[in-house]
Amino acid sequence: MQPSLLIIVLLALVAMAYHLGRHRSIATVGGIRSVPRLHSLPCYYGAYTAIWCGIPAFLVLGLWLAFEPNIITILVVADLPEELRQLAPERLNLVVNDIKNLAGGNIVTGVASPGVQAAADHFISLENTSAAALSLVVLALGILGMGAAWSRISPGLRARNAVERTVKVLLIVSSTIAVFTTLGIVLSVLFEAIRFFKIIPITDFLFGLDWSPQMSIRADQVGSSGAFGAVPLFAGTLLISLIAMLVAVPIGLMSAIYLSEYANRHFRALAKPLLEILAGIPTVVYGFFAALTVAPFFRGIGESMGLTVSSESALAAGVVMGIMIIPFVSSLSDDVINAVPQSMRDGSYALGATKSETVRRVIIPAALPGIVGGVLLAVSRAIGETMIVVMAAGLSAKLTANPLEAVTTVTVQIVTLLVGDQEFDSPKTLAAFALGLMLFIVTLILNIVALHVVRKYREQYE
Amino acid sequence: MIAVFETRSPIMDNSIAMNESDFPRNTGISSDALGERKISGTVGEIQVQDPRMTCRNVDVFYGNKHAIIDVSLDIGKNEVIAMIGPSGCGKSTFLRCLNRMNDTIEGCRVSGQIQLEDQDIYDPRLDVVPLRVQVGMVFQKPNPFPKSIYENVAYGPRIHGLAGNKTDLDEIVETSLRKAGLWEEVKDRLDQPGTGLSGGQQQRLCIARTIAVSPEVILMDEPCSALDPIATAKVEELIDELREHYTIAIVTHSMQQAARVSQRTAYFHLGNLVEVGETTQIFTNPRHRLTEDYITGRFG
Amino acid sequence: MSIAEHKPRTLDILERTLKKRYAAERRFRYYGLAAVVSGLAFVSLLFISIVANGYTAFFQTAIKLDIAFNAGQIDPEGKRAPAVLARADYDALIREALQGLYPEVKGRSAKRELKKVISSGAGFQLRERVLGNPGLIGGKQAVWVAADDEIDVLIKGGATDIETYPGEGIASPTGVEGEIKVLLTTNSFNAVLNEVKESLLRKAAKAEKGLGLAEETLARVDAEIAVIDKRVEQETAAGNLGLVAEQNAARQNLLAEREGLAGKIATKATEVADLRRRAETPGGDEALSGELPSYLVRINGGLVKAASVNNSGISGQVLLPLSSTKGAAKGSWEIVKFATPEGDRRTKDQLIAWVMRLQEQGRIEQQFNTNFFTSGDSREPEQAGIGGAVLGSLYTLLVTLALSFPIGVAAAVYLEEFAPKNKWVDLIEVNINNLAAVPSIVFGLLGLAVFINFFGIPRSAPLVGGLVLTLMTLPTIIIASRSALKSVPPSIREAALGVGASHLQAVTHHVLPLAMPGILTGAIIGMARALGETAPLLMIGMVAFIVDLPGSLLDPATALPVQIYLWVDSPERAFVEKTSAAIMVLLTFLIVMNAIAVYLRKKFERRW
Ligand SMILES: Nc1ncnc2c1ncn2[C@@H]1O[C@H](COP(=O)(O)OP(=O)(O)OP(=O)(O)O)[C@@H](O)[C@H]1O
Ligand SMILES: [Mg+2]
């Protein structure tokens, strides 16, 4: 049975369980009139039965589907002819891929050897067995669970409490998913990064000045020293983030100030949502804008001034990224500026200060921690931003501070290293995870610091 | 010229039913002496000799809400005038009119005439900056800036460029703190944040901050409501000393306080100025029923 | 210091400085206004540039061909078997129809060129038509087929500006086909000739610059040789023979380089001299190269491309045959200019000429581009559509919604209603807040490592995309749901508990329904963000070139934003407008989603 079909059948079973449970509970007390004699409402008995029917079955189904491919692969590899099993891991991976393709009826590279063909047949048969076993196990479990629950229904059964306990457990499980996501990120990235650092020493990675991962695809060059020095990427990331901040912070901050201190209600009601549109635009659109409109524009200006601006410049990417971050900075600043109590303003105005004096000498100093926190969050956004730089910043890992040249960033390299064909064990792919680890650590620190600063700031005025 | 008025405002007729006998007649001077201009239905002497500020027929609206209704009042030189009245009657609103702090509230409109030494402060050509330098304000809750004590006091002189150099500024800061009676307590920690002081100290710091730009009038909106009795006593003492140099208008909910610090008292009710007079007279012999009710505590 | 002496000073000082302070005030205000205005300008610039680039993509140039559905060719057996019909060579029908329109085109390569007018997918169009209506076979019908993307660009004005000038005097062609001359009684081509000469001068100047550079290099090489010579002398004196040999080898290399340079300089110099001579002598016969705009003469129903001009006329190739060699009077012939030089565009002059013929015959039309909405990706811009990408996005979002909404609400309910205050719950909250700010690409790495490499779900599957986006949007939904739950006043909860409901019943029956608008708003905004997300999908391989529409959650698919990314990288010009149009569609979806969210918030906003 197809998994999707199985799921539908199982859902039907669950619905049935609900009804059976409900009816049974009513029947045990002898009809709808005596329902008050039940401990809980009939629907709780239904839910009780449905839970017993559905949860174990779905749990098994999920686990089975999650681990089935790996187990089948292991079984197939174990049964491969001796000479195939002796292959190096990368080659073996290719063979396994061939087997899977063959089994799936796809085109394979070259002619399938009899060994591979046999393995493919084995694969198919295993898959079929597994599917059949799965259907059997899951449906049996569902029916058993339903039966067990059904038979336990009696007027004294505290069905509501049982159902509520289950629901609460589900709630708790849902709330822990965030923790597991973080854990998953840390483990997966860390695991691959450690493998990478076994090939390339971490010091070479962190302090090396030369980044040219493409060179080391050839087997004889694996791990050739100096090809994985990430400093140019860090420098490029910083350069672009700096440009972005130079655009976003003044514009974002000043517009927040203008909108909250100067603008009248109508203008604010109009301008604020319009500015926030910028926040809702997907980054790929910004990338397109950067590559197609802004970069040629800067090139044109540069040319007319006798400067050479490369077609993918840090400037274009940075400026567009800055535009993207404007609403982020402005709404965060807006929040913190509005959190400054009106009494501060009153105090200043009552001394005869003008608006701008009040803003510059009282409000901004008072809001500074909040603004700094907001800017830190914005920096973390800029560092982690991917599409704009992928589309507009370029790939050349040059160590330069010239914004008119093309630079590359951590995220761009992650994308280039991982998009397209990849073998999972080459340092090239692993390097992407090492970069991801750096990215995660840096943004995490920025976020924690920023959130802490902002929270402290809010508490101050609460 | 001293005049006594006895006209009634139509609003009061409608909103609070009152008998003729509610208005003790003052038969001393006939209403003809008022001249052509009718001044609102306030009991008592709204005018003083040698006024610093004169308000005539002031109305204030918040959007549609009529918060101050036709109030006329003089504020004399070197006097402390207390404004009392039930919550929401418009004391703060009236006070804020006096240095145009109402400008900062969206939807607030002021009509009528308010003069500071012959100058109409609602004249569109008038500049609020010098006005607010001349008419300073202290607020209900102490609101020191999140800066050092020194910077708090120096803020006004700095923005107005009153001190030519650091020594001058130091001097202004010291004098102001001394006048506010805070110098001895803070002279060793001028560089510590003003927000770290106690409530009473903060309030005196705010007063010092106001004095530092040497205003003529100081408006105080319930300056002691957030303070304990000891701090309150200190601030009251201070007000008494300041009277020598400044005109002070103070809003307070404490009748005792009004009695202690002020020479004159004005009683507000639902936006109307009901009665104004010598503080002793208001507290011992109120002429209007509403005032009497309020003072004797019969009023919520 | 007493007040009396202090006070006048204050006002005096104010008097003096106030002007400056107000100027500063105004300036500050203008900075603020400028910031807001520039922000708004960016918004409008973005939208304008996208709409201006993209709106044309909703229409596609179509060409009317008179197709003869020749029975012998399509269905030789005459049984109308679908399998046979499907296998027939429909491109041949198109070739024949074109041949009918342009009988003068002969030779294989010319015919191949001619075929470029029509989209390579036109054959499929015909096949669909015949399969849908076999009755067509044997008849003849006018059929609108899609034009090639380059033609589409040309018709939409993206390839070159086409200008025409009325001809002066009488023009007489010397032939109707092949290489001919068009002789003129006036020198109408003087302007063209001048332009050619100017371009020659420009070329000469450029060549001279190159010459100067080459000479500089030469001087440098000479200097290097001199240095080496000196060193050789020293080393020889010192007896370091090994070094001498090394230096000599280097010298040899430099000499070779020098020789090459000298030769180049010589040729360049003659080139410059030649260019200058040609430019400076008046008149003469000048060839028009591909770096100049193309000039053509439209005369006697045909089109002649000028290969060279002189004062008395032009000579060149006939692109569309003339009806006769009769002289054409003033006004009945014209000069046509293709402003973009032929070398700078992909549509060559001959192709433009053929298209102009089609236009004259009314065989070209802009038709609404349904294909754009229904097809999958393609290497040919005119056949590419966003259908597949939209479907992929839809599947991905369905997975995301189905998982993140219940989980997010459940987590929010737990944290807001049931969670005790302890370290574990604090940890969860910190985690959620941080996850909301983790770069999306990191979620992509997680998806790649866990879902694809560990669990073995196929790459490029919408299922993986949905899972990754679920993890990404969960924090958003949890945070929004929590604040919605928080805004329900405790009195409601207490009322429910007061009538004997369990805590869970109070929450599910009373609190949740009241919080639902807020939760939905958060969910929609989360979905909108997920819809626009690209980077994590790149990581999990949803970036492949996929032509077929995905049929299930495990089929390889791409998503709308990824499609945009893919098209931006494509070199064909026609993809620029496709990209912009796809962005317009994406933004429309987003705007609709956000509008719904705003509507929900407005409609159900409750003040307690
Ligand atoms: N910004 C405003 N917008 C609208 N109405 C306002 C505003 N400020 C005050 N009011 C209204 O104007 C009236 C007078 O308010 P005001 O603050 O002057 O009272 P108050 O006498 O100072 O009261 P309290 O003793 O409580 O401070 C009140 O009814 C109040 O609701
Ligand atoms: Mg008040």
Side-chain angles (χ1 to χ4, degrees), chain C residues 254-542:
Chain C
L254 282 173
L255 279 180
E257 192 180 328
R258 189 184 190 290
E259 203 164 312
L261 269 174
K264 231 193 246 162
I265 287 172
T267 44
K268 266 249 159 63
T270 47
E271 190 188 323
V272 167
D274 184 48
L275 285 171
R276 287 221 175 279
R277 184 187 49 70
R278 275 164 64 192
E280 275 148 24
T281 44
D285 202 45
E286 281 302 339
L288 289 160
S289 65
E291 295 145 44
L292 286 175
S294 301
Y295 289 93
L296 304 98
V297 172
R298 194 205 297 273
I299 185 168
N300 294 349
L303 200 60
V304 187
K305 177 188 174 180
S308 70
V309 288
N310 56 34
N311 277 334
S312 63
I314 61 155
S315 61
Q317 180 77 33
V318 173
L319 298 186
L320 295 174
L322 283 56
S323 56
S324 70
T325 55
K326 263 209 306 258
K330 175 182 171 188
S332 62
W333 67 280
E334 44 187 23
I335 301 173
V336 180
K337 176 181 176 186
F338 299 161
T340 310
E342 190 175 22
D344 293 352
R345 58 182 137 88
R346 294 168 64 118
T347 353
K348 300 302 173 202
D349 290 342
Q350 176 67 72
L351 215 53
I352 299 180
W354 284 328
V355 171
M356 285 169 93
R357 164 71 48 89
L358 287 174
Q359 262 177 321
E360 282 159 20
Q361 297 176 351
R363 287 180 178 274
I364 286 195
E365 207 175 88
Q366 297 279 307
Q367 295 182 341
F368 185 73
N369 195 354
T370 42
N371 184 45
F372 178 69
F373 295 97
T374 54
S375 327
D377 199 4
S378 168
R379 298 273 182 231
E380 299 297 327
E382 79 275 2
Q383 295 171 41
I386 55 172
V390 169
L391 214 54
S393 275
L394 184 74
Y395 285 146
T396 313
L397 278 197
L398 277 182
V399 174
T400 309
L401 185 66
L403 291 174
S404 68
F405 185 71
I407 296 178
V409 174
V413 166
Y414 177 70
L415 292 175
E416 203 54 44
E417 301 284 339
F418 297 103
K421 273 267 150 279
N422 60 26
K423 282 258 174 297
W424 174 242
V425 174
D426 279 351
L427 177 73
I428 293 178
E429 297 199 5
V430 170
N431 254 303
I432 290 170
N433 286 335
N434 276 315
L435 276 184
V438 166
S440 57
I441 191 170
V442 174
F443 285 96
L445 288 176
L446 169 75
L448 176 61
V450 173
F451 297 130
I452 294 181
N453 286 319
F454 188 72
F455 286 126
I457 309 178
R459 279 166 69 87
S460 310
L463 180 63
V464 188
L467 287 171
V468 170
L469 293 183
T470 298
L471 298 183
M472 232 190 71
T473 43
L474 259 184
T476 316
I477 295 184
I478 295 178
I479 292 171
S481 305
R482 286 190 70 177
S483 72
L485 288 170
K486 208 176 278 171
S487 72
V488 177
S491 59
I492 305 263
R493 214 158 291 142
E494 284 152 13
L497 294 176
V499 296
S502 69
H503 194 172
L504 192 68
Q505 281 173 324
V507 171
T508 47
H509 296 172
H510 298 280
V511 180
L512 256 187
L514 288 174
M516 209 28 98
I519 294 176
L520 283 180
T521 308
I524 293 173
I525 287 172
M527 287 300 119
R529 195 168 306 161
L531 174 58
E533 200 51 70
T534 322
L537 302 186
L538 300 186
M539 297 291 93
I540 55 162
M542 286 186 80

Side-chain angles (χ1 to χ4, degrees), chain C residues 152 169 190 194-195 197 224 256 294 378 507 529 532 537 578:
Chain C
D152 192 43
N190 229 356
N194 284 342
E195 193 178 326
K197 305 235 163 186
E224 268 173 56
S294 301
S378 168
V507 171
R529 195 168 306 161
L537 302 186
K578 299 270 159 188

Side-chain angles (χ1 to χ4, degrees), chain A residues 9 19 35 72 75 84 141 149 171 173 188 202 264 280 302-304 315 328 331 339 360 381 384 402 404 423 438:
Chain A
V9 171
H19 274 281
V35 160
I72 292 188
L75 288 180
L84 282 176
L141 215 54
L171 294 186
V173 169
S188 59
I202 187 164
N264 63 31
E303 250 162 36
S304 69
L315 187 64
F328 194 71
S331 73
R360 275 182 306 185
R381 275 284 288 266
N402 180 358
L404 304 182
E423 336 78 284
M438 291 292 123

Side-chain angles (χ1 to χ4, degrees), chain B residues 62-63 65 67-68 85-94 105-106 140 221-222 251 253:
Chain B
Y62 291 115
K65 176 157 179 63
I68 290 287
S87 189
C89 66
K91 307 176 298 284
S92 302
T93 304
F94 181 68
I105 298 173
E106 217 170 305
Q140 178 169 3
D221 191 352
E222 303 182 38
V251 169
H253 273 290

Side-chain angles (χ1 to χ4, degrees), chain B residues 127 129-130 133 159-162 171 179 214 216 245-246, chain C residues 1-3 6-7 9-11 13-14 17-18 21-22:
Chain B
D127 201 335
V129 170
V133 170
I159 57 173
H160 298 306
L162 300 184
E171 195 188 320
K179 277 195 200 149
S214 50
E216 297 166 22
H245 302 302
Y246 308 93
Chain C
M1 168 171 20
S2 96
I3 294 305
H6 196 109
K7 202 166 44 201
R9 243 196 80 211
T10 307
L11 286 182
I13 292 172
L14 275 184
T17 56
L18 229 105
R21 285 170 64 190
Y22 277 123

